Amino acid sequence: MSNGRHLAKGGYSSSSRGPVSLKGIESVFVGSPIPDVPEDGILRLYSMRFCPFAQRVHLVLDAKQIPYHSIYINLTEKPDWLFDKNPQGKVPALELVREPGPPVLTESLLICEYLDEQYPLRPLYPRDPLKKVQERLLIERFSSVLGAFFRASDGGDLEPFWCGLDTYEKELSRRCTDFFGGEQTGILDYMIWPWCERLDLLKVQRGDDYNFDERRFPQLSQWVERMKRDSAVMAFYMEAEVQAEFLRTRSAGRPNYNLLVKEA
């Protein structure tokens, strides 16, 4: 699955209503100047193409059709100016260029919550206070599932990850809806999706050991297929083989952040 959209040059991609393709967009690295991004008042997202936490922010921006520039960072050789944006040198980081300062927001969940409140069209969080807190709790609970996923990806036991997903299988079954957000995607859908997209990565990594059971996860199995047809998901979707190749280059000590770059 690919998006096939046109490209921007100069170390960043930009959009008027959502994202553009990353092909042709190289990651900036140590010694690189700040990309020559237009001074147009559009949000700037400092990101990394293979980072699931950054993917969360892309999904929200794209789902809400918020214009933004993406600047992709080589996290092994970070440019010095990144620390001026975020002293921790991490992504995702969202620069609010129209605000005095301008401030830079960090942490994927906080960024996504800000975006949903600041841009009220196409709300992702429930507006009911109780339901909003319940979604936050389910998102927070997924933090423990992340650890199980990363251990499974490194060759550990798969069962703790499946046990973590049991909660979301039961929740989706209880809601009797196509998505956690109802009849359309909501915040919980997008916050857990990056790791559910990587189910196919686990399948590539684990080979015959991979034992995802559709009978155990009938609702999530159907949900995954629906999510793959969501426009925001499709915009940032990456095939499992590409993800696996990036991880192989990282394990070899030479992470290829420009794996997706193609000459126009």
Side-chain angles (χ1 to χ4, degrees):
M1 187 182 299
S2 62
N3 51 46
R5 283 164 296 183
H6 295 294
L7 314 176
K9 295 291 186 179
Y12 71 95
S13 68
S14 56
S15 68
S16 59
R17 290 178 64 84
V20 300
S21 170
L22 296 173
K23 296 175 182 177
I25 308 302
E26 294 189 2
S27 298
V28 293
F29 52 89
V30 63
S32 298
I34 299 177
D36 187 18
V37 182
E39 297 292 339
D40 52 10
I42 292 178
L43 297 172
R44 298 179 185 181
L45 175 61
Y46 301 91
S47 181
M48 196 277 273
R49 183 60 180 91
F50 303 93
C51 174
F53 297 98
Q55 185 178 359
R56 282 174 158 175
V57 182
H58 284 276
L59 288 168
V60 169
L61 286 162
D62 297 344
K64 297 174 76 68
Q65 296 189 333
I66 301 169
Y68 67 105
H69 297 300
S70 296
I71 301 169
Y72 299 100
I73 306 296
N74 180 322
L75 294 180
T76 302
E77 300 178 348
K78 301 173 185 177
D80 293 339
W81 52 259
L82 177 63
F83 294 91
D84 295 330
K85 307 294 183 182
N86 178 7
Q88 293 180 308
K90 294 181 178 180
V91 301
L94 185 70
E95 188 171 14
L96 310 180
V97 295
R98 290 188 177 183
E99 300 293 334
V104 176
L105 305 182
T106 61
E107 303 298 333
S108 63
L109 296 180
L110 296 178
I111 294 172
C112 292
E113 186 164 335
Y114 166 82
L115 289 170
D116 200 45
E117 292 184 1
Q118 185 68 15
Y119 298 86
L121 292 179
R122 176 64 169 96
L124 298 176
Y125 271 103
R127 290 311 185 223
D128 178 85
L130 175 58
K131 291 181 179 179
K132 186 172 185 178
V133 169
Q134 290 172 332
E135 293 297 83
R136 285 174 172 164
L137 290 172
L138 284 166
I139 293 169
E140 180 63 29
R141 187 169 183 176
F142 198 75
S143 298
S144 63
V145 183
L146 303 186
F149 171 85
F150 289 124
R151 287 189 292 273
S153 181
D154 286 338
D157 189 4
L158 286 161
E159 184 57 26
F161 181 49
W162 306 146
C163 287
L165 291 184
D166 281 335
T167 297
Y168 300 87
E169 170 68 26
K170 293 174 183 176
E171 182 63 24
L172 192 57
S173 179
R174 184 189 68 80
R175 296 187 185 194
C176 297
T177 54
D178 286 346
F179 301 99
F180 289 99
E183 297 312 310
Q184 63 178 353
T185 48
I187 193 68
L188 181 55
D189 295 282
Y190 289 132
M191 293 304 97
I192 72 174
W193 172 252
W195 292 271
C196 294
E197 178 179 300
R198 286 162 174 76
L199 285 170
D200 288 339
L201 170 63
L202 279 181
K203 187 175 182 179
V204 170
Q205 291 177 313
R206 302 302 297 265
D208 293 339
D209 289 340
Y210 184 76
N211 59 352
F212 180 83
D213 188 350
E214 293 186 4
R215 294 169 297 179
R216 179 174 176 176
F217 300 107
Q219 300 301 321
L220 280 180
S221 296
Q222 295 178 54
W223 171 81
V224 165
E225 295 307 311
R226 294 188 195 103
M227 288 293 290
K228 287 179 179 179
R229 297 191 293 270
D230 177 76
S231 60
V233 168
M234 291 174 66
F236 212 73
Y237 186 88
M238 190 189 306
E239 291 83 355
E241 291 76 14
V242 177
Q243 297 179 36
E245 177 60 23
F246 172 75
L247 293 178
R248 282 192 288 269
T249 66
R250 191 179 69 177
S251 296
R254 297 183 299 276
N256 185 359
Y257 293 97
N258 294 325
L259 191 61
L260 292 177
V261 172
K262 294 184 179 180
E263 293 299 327

